[in-house]
Amino acid sequence: MIIQATYLFLDGTRTLMMNRILPSNEALVNFASLCLAITLNILSYTTLMFVACKIELPLAEDKRQNRIVLGLPIAISIFDIVCALFAPNLIFSANDINAFTPFFPRLRPLLPGLELLSGLDDGLRLY
């Protein structure tokens, strides 16, 4: 619940900065966007674990599988940080809107997709 509230707060703040309602500069908007992306990775993992606990998948109890699935959002978050620091044009648009580039939305479904495959693998093992 806390991570969802954090995500909504960051999204709202970033939107207000992008629309020039809150004072900001390009670096601050990009930092808010990066924080939003990392929060989305955490939110994806916590949602997966919540569902795994509710439907009693082995993923919720098995520490090894849990670490493997936790490695996905960590790896993607590190990739986001490295891109933001060394290749910001890969993620952040250079136009006035400070929106994400077309590459970034294509990267986002990677984490939930891999987690879904992991969950399906666990679910199939139950039967």
Side-chain angles (χ1 to χ4, degrees), residues 19-83:
N19 291 320
R20 311 267 192 260
I21 295 171
L22 288 178
S24 69
N25 57 25
E26 185 178 344
L28 190 58
V29 173
N30 288 348
F31 178 73
S33 298
L34 179 62
C35 291
L36 190 64
I38 292 171
T39 306
L40 188 59
N41 293 338
I42 297 168
L43 182 61
S44 177
Y45 172 75
T46 56
T47 302
L48 172 72
M49 292 312 295
F50 174 76
V51 170
C53 287
K54 284 297 183 183
I55 62 175
E56 299 175 0
L57 286 177
L59 173 66
E61 302 296 325
D62 187 0
K63 297 291 184 193
R64 181 180 171 277
Q65 287 180 346
N66 197 326
R67 282 190 209 117
I68 291 170
V69 172
L70 180 60
L72 295 172
I74 290 172
I76 292 177
S77 294
I78 290 170
F79 178 78
D80 291 341
I81 292 169
V82 168
C83 283

Side-chain angles (χ1 to χ4, degrees), residues 50-127:
F50 174 76
V51 170
C53 287
K54 284 297 183 183
I55 62 175
E56 299 175 0
L57 286 177
L59 173 66
E61 302 296 325
D62 187 0
K63 297 291 184 193
R64 181 180 171 277
Q65 287 180 346
N66 197 326
R67 282 190 209 117
I68 291 170
V69 172
L70 180 60
L72 295 172
I74 290 172
I76 292 177
S77 294
I78 290 170
F79 178 78
D80 291 341
I81 292 169
V82 168
C83 283
L85 291 174
F86 300 109
N89 293 341
L90 189 62
I91 294 178
F92 306 119
S93 177
N95 62 14
D96 290 334
I97 311 172
N98 288 318
F100 292 114
T101 62
F103 169 77
F104 194 72
R106 289 184 179 93
L107 178 69
R108 284 293 112 204
L110 180 64
L111 180 61
L114 291 173
E115 289 175 345
L116 176 65
L117 291 176
S118 172
L120 285 175
D121 180 47
D122 277 350
L124 293 175
R125 286 185 199 173
L126 286 175
Y127 296 105

